[in-house]
Amino acid sequence: MDTETYYHHLNGITLHTLEAGDPKATCMVFLHGFPECSCAWHKQLAYFAQQGYRVLAPDQRGYNLSSKPAGVRAYRLDELVSDIVALIRARAQKKVVLVGHDWGGVVAWQLAISHPQWVQQLVIINMPHPSVFRHTLKTNPKQMARSSYAAFFQLPGLPEWLSRVFNFAVLQRSLIKTAKKGTFTKDVIATYKKAWRQPDALTAMLNWYRAFRYNTLTGAGIVQLPVLLIWGRKDQFLLQQMAQASIERCTNGKLVMVEEATHWIHHEQPELVNALIQEFITECRGEA
């Protein structure tokens, strides 16, 4: 099923989205992480549109064809969450199934915590609960080491230059080397490079990391709505022990640990990810 492109003016910016499926059906919103964009979800969009859902995948603030406001503070978590709440209000007008990976998972967790009235079910792929991540990052030397690149991203100018040189060789290598062989094809990488070449895109993408110090996470409490956490055990960025700790912050949580998958499981095993999400939604309907 072909996706359609839309531009939505909301929360003071413009969000570009890929959308498909019946506009009157249950809506699913997919949030990408770094350094991807809306097209990261193309296999999920096609599958769930065919299953009868309305599916939306935005280029989040700062990425690809969406607005790239100036200044680090424009990328604080409350702004990122407000973008997606505004998108849900405009396009779904009711509760959605919210799916997030990596930084998109951070936004999804926080949205479900602070605006639960807009979330029917929450699906997170390889991103821990905000309070679990913050605690682990402060106390576990292994996670500190794995997240050391984020400290480098705080420098002005140099991360942009290093990301851009030799035709984005560093960003390309970071994807290919941390995923199973053959996951990111030449065509996929070419699509990402087109997004990275957008004016001011690299700075805007990195500003998500630079704004982290301004974030006030209200995610210390328990998540009340149904949560599915899918975790690739061979994630090179995030310690797997955070997965169980995250589910313990949910009253109705389910953890699926996938042994041979990495941080990029939705690319490596899209059929499995789609089946797990579909099964989870069906189970929640049966419990309702």
Side-chain angles (χ1 to χ4, degrees), residues 128 132-133 136 143 231 238-247:
V132 171
F133 187 42
T136 306
Q143 187 57 57
W231 199 282
L238 300 166
L239 295 174
Q240 68 179 53
Q241 69 194 53
M242 291 190 288
Q244 182 59 43
S246 296
I247 283 297

Side-chain angles (χ1 to χ4, degrees), residues 223-241:
V223 182
Q224 301 290 340
L225 53 88
V227 179
L228 170 64
L229 178 56
I230 302 172
W231 199 282
R233 191 183 292 276
K234 293 188 176 181
D235 190 320
Q236 294 186 31
F237 302 104
L238 300 166
L239 295 174
Q240 68 179 53
Q241 69 194 53

Side-chain angles (χ1 to χ4, degrees), residues 25-284:
T26 297
C27 185
M28 301 181 69
V29 177
F30 294 83
L31 304 180
H32 67 82
F34 179 90
E36 300 193 272
C37 59
S38 55
C39 61
W41 299 107
H42 69 281
K43 292 184 179 178
Q44 283 70 44
L45 298 182
Y47 174 83
F48 285 103
Q50 290 173 353
Q51 298 301 310
Y53 296 91
R54 179 66 177 177
V55 293
L56 288 79
D59 289 327
Q60 294 200 78
R61 172 184 296 235
Y63 282 83
N64 196 23
L65 300 178
S66 289
S67 294
K68 301 165 185 66
V72 171
R73 287 180 178 270
Y75 298 88
R76 291 172 297 173
L77 186 56
D78 59 350
E79 292 288 354
L80 308 175
V81 169
S82 294
D83 290 345
I84 306 307
V85 170
L87 179 66
I88 293 171
R89 283 175 171 160
R91 300 301 287 170
Q93 301 176 349
K94 58 184 178 180
K95 289 186 177 184
V96 303
V97 178
L98 185 61
V99 184
H101 168 253
D102 187 76
W103 262 111
V106 177
V107 176
W109 275 115
Q110 194 62 33
L111 195 157
I113 291 164
S114 57
H115 302 277
Q117 70 273 24
W118 290 109
V119 184
Q120 185 170 300
Q121 290 104 26
L122 178 66
V123 179
I124 302 291
I125 301 172
N126 280 74
M127 177 52 62
H129 183 287
S131 64
V132 171
F133 187 42
R134 174 159 283 190
H135 175 74
T136 306
L137 194 56
K138 287 182 176 180
T139 60
N140 191 304
K142 290 184 179 180
Q143 187 57 57
M144 293 177 193
R146 292 193 183 195
S147 299
S148 59
Y149 65 91
F152 172 70
F153 286 169
Q154 304 304 311
L155 299 174
L158 183 58
E160 284 92 330
W161 176 83
L162 185 61
S163 298
R164 186 179 296 111
V165 295
F166 304 116
N167 194 23
F168 303 98
V170 171
L171 286 180
Q172 177 177 335
R173 186 166 63 249
S174 71
L175 290 172
I176 293 174
K177 293 295 184 180
T178 59
K180 294 180 72 69
K181 186 176 181 180
T183 296
F184 291 103
T185 65
K186 290 182 178 180
D187 288 344
V188 170
I189 293 295
T191 299
Y192 285 156
K193 287 182 177 180
K194 185 177 179 180
W196 300 336
R197 288 191 185 97
Q198 295 296 321
D200 302 317
L202 286 178
T203 294
M205 292 159 59
L206 292 165
N207 278 347
W208 282 54
Y209 290 91
R210 292 165 177 157
F212 186 76
R213 64 185 181 273
Y214 300 121
N215 292 334
T216 301
L217 297 179
T218 58
I222 301 298
V223 182
Q224 301 290 340
L225 53 88
V227 179
L228 170 64
L229 178 56
I230 302 172
W231 199 282
R233 191 183 292 276
K234 293 188 176 181
D235 190 320
Q236 294 186 31
F237 302 104
L238 300 166
L239 295 174
Q240 68 179 53
Q241 69 194 53
M242 291 190 288
Q244 182 59 43
S246 296
I247 283 297
E248 291 172 1
R249 300 297 180 111
C250 307
T251 59
N252 186 9
K254 177 181 180 181
L255 171 62
V256 178
M257 188 71 71
V258 183
E259 295 294 329
E260 296 303 315
T262 74
H263 187 71
W264 312 105
I265 182 174
H266 57 307
H267 293 282
E268 296 167 345
Q269 299 187 48
E271 294 83 6
L272 174 62
V273 169
N274 293 346
L276 289 171
I277 296 173
Q278 180 67 73
E279 179 184 15
F280 173 65
I281 295 172
T282 302
E283 289 175 352
C284 290

